[in-house]
Amino acid sequence: MTSLRPLSDSYGRIIRDLRISLTDRCNFRCLYCLPETEEAANFYRTRFDSVRNPNPTAPKLPDWKPRSELLTFEEIERLVRLGASLGIEKIRLTGGEPLLRQGIESLISKIVKIPGISDVAMTTNGFLFAPKARQLKEAGLHRISFSLDSLDAANFKKMTGREGLKEVLAGITLARELGMDPVKVNAVVIRGMNDHEIEDLAGFARDRALSFRFIEFMPLDSSRAWLKEMVVPASEILERLKSKFDLKPVVSSNLSETARRWAFADGPGEIGIIAPVTQAFCGHCNRIRLTSDGKIRTCLFSVSEHDLKGAMRGGASDSDLAERLRAIIWQKEDRHHIGEAEFVQPERSMSCIGG
Ligand code: SAM
Ligand code: SF4
């Protein structure tokens, strides 16, 4: 229910999608996000010559924000209400690990009722999902995406830095049993780490009727060890899947969709490939992000952030905030510059930005 002019940037893109990071903390230490383990360090050191001497100034793990710096649920609800009045329709709760935020179900039950918000989703590593699943469903959560990079317990631990495959698989099963539809599952594919599992992961999607997404590894890791050689390009993923499965392209009219999708000719479920590195989709991007400490990011790769928390806590009115948001979005970057000489990796990692 848009009451005001919708939010648009200077390239004519209308913003409809707000991703909210509820916390920068996480119970996992994924190799591509918050690498911490000796195994992760060894992977980076030994597989790729150019990271044998990683940037010594890069922090190993970010400093967690004190709780007083996190937006309260009331502040988040206020911003969602404001966003909805300006044309935001979709909300995704993410992090860090969103299920670490106590009482998340009470936030969900409030934002699903906001007029204009038609879709409330969450991205989670799934470890804490099962005990919370019913409350989340009752609160009105519409959709859920799990992250699952490996079906092999040992490799899962290498990828995530933690034991937990059993819990995540149980979470995915329960989400299907509770009738969440679609249940999406994301895997970040890293050369030499889990690329040998691409076919097994797709087979898992078909067996369990899941919407599975393979994602290219992006330079958003806290160790700043990303190299193009670690990215398995979408074209290679697709070629491998096509040689094993009979795939039919899924045509979508939604231009802002980030995944190219295929259905299995002989079973339920589907696969999608998200290729921000080799096939950027910036021209149709309709997203902005709100960090857990109240900063707006107009692109995953923004090198600057725009504070709304300070304005809110300083007494800004809704119309002040709306004008501020409009001005921020007007400056949204045209595209990212991954792979170009002038590319600068954002200071904060994916766990802080909110994937
Ligand atoms: N902790 C939750 C999870 O892992 O699902 C939510 C936050 S996580 C930052 C959101 C998504 O970002 C996950 O699907 C994760 O795989 C993805 N991600 C994190 N770092 C990434 C990177 N460097 N490149 C590509 N995707 C990444
Ligand atoms: Fe945590 Fe998600 Fe980052 Fe993994 S990808 S470390 S689960 S925030």
Side-chain angles (χ1 to χ4, degrees), residues 13 216-220 226 228 275-283 285 298-302 332-340 342-344 346:
R13 293 171 296 190
E216 288 179 345
F217 179 24
M218 293 181 273
L220 289 169
W226 179 94
K228 188 109 195 255
V277 179
T278 64
Q279 297 165 15
F281 35 78
C282 309
C285 179
T298 47
C299 172
L300 262 181
F301 297 95
S302 294
K332 181 173 163 66
E333 301 79 346
D334 61 337
R335 62 188 181 88
H336 69 61
H337 293 269
I338 301 173
E340 297 170 24
E342 68 266 36
F343 176 74
V344 179

Side-chain angles (χ1 to χ4, degrees), residues 47 51 56 66 87 99 115 118 138 188 199 201 238 286 310 329:
R47 301 288 177 91
V51 277
L99 292 176
S118 55
E138 276 160 25
V188 178
E199 291 86 352
L201 289 165
L238 183 60
N286 69 349
I329 286 173

